[in-house]
Amino acid sequence: MDGFKSTIAFWFVLTALGFVGIIIRVWYISSPGNLNLPKWKSDTRPEIRGSILDRNGSPLALTVPAVSVFVRPEKFRPGTNQTSRLASLLGTSSSEISARIKRGTRHFAWIVRQVLPETGERVRALEIPGLETVDEPARVYPHGELAAQLVGFCGVDHTGLSGLEKSFNSLLLPEKQGGLPIRNIVLTIDRYMQYIAEDELATAIRETEASHAVAIIFQPQTGEILSMASLPSFDPNRFASYPQERYINPVVSSPYEPGSTFKVFSAAWLLDRGLVSQSERFHCPGAVEIHGHTVECTHPHGTLDLRGILTHSCNVGMIQLARRLRSEEYRSWLGNLGFGQPTGIMLPGEASGILRPANKWSGLSRFMISIGYECSVTPLQLVRAASALATGGILMQPILVKAVTDHEGHILEASSPLVVRRVLRPDSAASIMAILRNVVVAGTGIQANLSELEAGGKTGTAYVAKPGGGGYFKTRYTASFMGFLPWKNSNLAVLVMIYE
């Protein structure tokens, strides 16, 4: 298992090194006084549906002029070779055109929807009786698979079917809301950072033969999400060519047992409540039995303090600490961190995760939850809660939409950082952040010790549960690393996860 922790830390390093080249840009956009949006204006008036833009005005989804081709079967009279010429223009076959006509009615049949205007002109030039065209703007995604599960896609009728396209359908498609002016949404996402994250995830999947992977980049001080990446993905320009499970955004819709990354929250609660001091010592012989269940470490760690328990991700040490957890209070605090409930990010299918009420816990539960089992969280919930450590104990509301603009680029609505609540004392948060720095300097996250930036973070490895509650697979697990860049006054919180 240690090897896989090293692997995920290594891929985190690659991602973080990619960020080094743009870290000045990140500091710029996150500095007070530099949060004004770029004024974005299209060269042509939008058709039917507003655009989805990244934080710098780069379009991730937009509507462009297009032409659809249809026939009136009772009048359709192609001359010699004209059907084959039509098929050639449309990139199909004569037999397929005939099949599409048969699928229509006696009076109308679509041949192709939303092709380039130039193609429509060539079709009209054939002058085939009964063959006609109609202007029908098309929704396009100029960056293909980039952020596809986040952005989502529309049907040919311009109705949003998944992702942000679905969540903000009524805003982007105003004709169904009483003829309101077309509006665009500007995201907090940075297209360049999204590309880096997806590129590194692709490399990690290829090298580790994982089933899938996610990464999220979060600004702790503002709650803005700079990147939300997940692979494998799909091309929304051709969404029907992919299995529907590709449309799901696992960052918000796929809870998992977090494993050792959750130890951070257990330690933070105990420290904040004065139930452990940083000078106390605990002994790890390599395994401990609790309520008839044996919890093991990768090897005996010997004598450790709180810093050592987190630095070396010691299960036995954390189990000893968990004896001091007060179930009701601890469960309530985890709820205050946002676990067990949606974040309200306004993406379809957001999951709550699983955090049972304390009165449903068994005698084993507080111990297992302390090391990241018997609960499930989404990646967004995890990075948001961890970011409260970087803000001195303040939990922020995640923000994905930075502004709503009109066609001229004027801001109609703008988001601003929203404090949810204080969850830790500033000194407790600072102490845990210092320990997370030590994890990277001397512990399980040492491969993330960058010379360019002083990072801090925590590794995590969790076995995958068998269906139906039959225990855990011993050869299938999720590896993760959540980190902060830099660890002091963090501008970025990053979570990278590699599944199975």
Side-chain angles (χ1 to χ4, degrees), residues 48-359:
I48 297 180
R49 189 176 180 90
S51 298
I52 299 176
L53 315 170
D54 89 333
R55 66 182 301 123
N56 299 303
S58 177
L60 301 175
L62 70 161
T63 305
V64 299
V67 171
S68 292
V69 180
F70 66 94
V71 299
R72 301 188 186 279
E74 75 276 15
K75 298 180 179 180
F76 186 55
R77 298 291 183 270
T80 305
N81 297 325
Q82 282 188 313
T83 301
S84 60
R85 289 174 61 192
L86 175 62
S88 178
L89 275 176
L90 300 179
T92 185
S93 64
S94 298
S95 59
E96 177 59 27
I97 288 178
S98 298
R100 292 176 186 178
I101 293 174
K102 289 179 181 178
R103 287 196 292 267
T105 69
R106 187 164 60 92
H107 302 291
F108 182 90
W110 286 116
I111 300 300
V112 67
R113 304 286 295 273
Q114 299 171 339
V115 296
L116 293 173
E118 300 79 43
T119 301
E121 291 177 6
R122 295 189 184 99
V123 168
R124 287 190 291 269
L126 293 175
E127 297 183 343
I128 300 175
L131 178 67
E132 300 181 28
T133 65
V134 61
D135 290 339
E136 188 179 39
R139 193 66 165 176
V140 297
Y141 304 89
H143 302 291
E145 295 188 9
L146 188 76
Q149 290 155 339
L150 170 62
V151 174
F153 57 85
C154 293
V156 291
D157 63 350
H158 294 273
T159 297
L161 300 177
S162 76
L164 291 166
E165 292 276 40
K166 181 177 181 179
S167 296
F168 290 88
N169 188 61
S170 60
L171 186 149
L172 293 166
L173 194 63
E175 67 173 20
K176 294 188 176 181
Q177 299 295 315
L180 295 173
I182 288 177
R183 291 165 289 178
N184 306 316
I185 59 173
V186 181
L187 306 183
T188 58
I189 297 294
D190 183 294
R191 179 173 62 89
Y192 184 41
M193 299 184 78
Q194 182 77 17
Y195 171 79
I196 291 173
E198 292 189 12
D199 190 54
E200 296 302 338
L201 289 184
T203 303
I205 288 175
R206 186 168 58 251
E207 295 293 333
T208 63
E209 299 182 356
S211 63
H212 57 294
V214 305
I216 183 167
I217 307 169
F218 194 86
Q219 278 191 323
Q221 309 299 332
T222 65
E224 292 189 1
I225 298 169
L226 298 180
S227 173
M228 184 183 286
S230 53
L231 294 181
S233 186
F234 69 99
D235 185 348
N237 295 296
R238 302 181 296 108
F239 66 88
S241 302
Y242 295 81
Q244 292 187 12
E245 56 264 28
R246 292 280 187 94
Y247 308 160
I248 297 171
N249 186 345
V251 176
V252 297
S253 299
S254 302
Y256 74 106
E257 286 183 301
S260 293
T261 51
F262 218 68
K263 294 173 184 173
V264 171
F265 306 111
S266 306
W269 188 85
L270 290 164
L271 189 64
D272 196 64
R273 298 305 186 274
L275 297 176
V276 65
S277 73
Q278 295 198 61
S279 61
E280 285 187 78
R281 296 292 187 269
F282 304 85
H283 181 66
C284 169
V288 63
E289 186 170 318
I290 187 75
H291 290 279
H293 183 85
T294 300
V295 176
E296 299 178 337
C297 283
T298 54
H299 61 276
H301 288 107
T303 301
L304 298 170
D305 57 10
L306 180 64
R307 175 184 293 256
I309 289 172
L310 289 183
T311 296
H312 300 289
S313 202
C314 177
N315 289 331
V316 173
M318 186 55 66
I319 292 296
Q320 294 176 57
L321 284 171
R323 297 180 189 276
R324 306 177 185 186
L325 291 173
R326 301 164 184 164
S327 297
E328 288 283 355
E329 292 181 25
Y330 183 51
R331 167 59 180 84
S332 176
W333 182 72
L334 290 176
N336 283 339
L337 274 178
F339 296 118
Q341 57 195 289
T343 66
I345 195 62
M346 295 186 71
L347 282 171
E350 185 183 14
S352 298
I354 298 174
L355 184 61
R356 292 174 297 140
N359 61 11

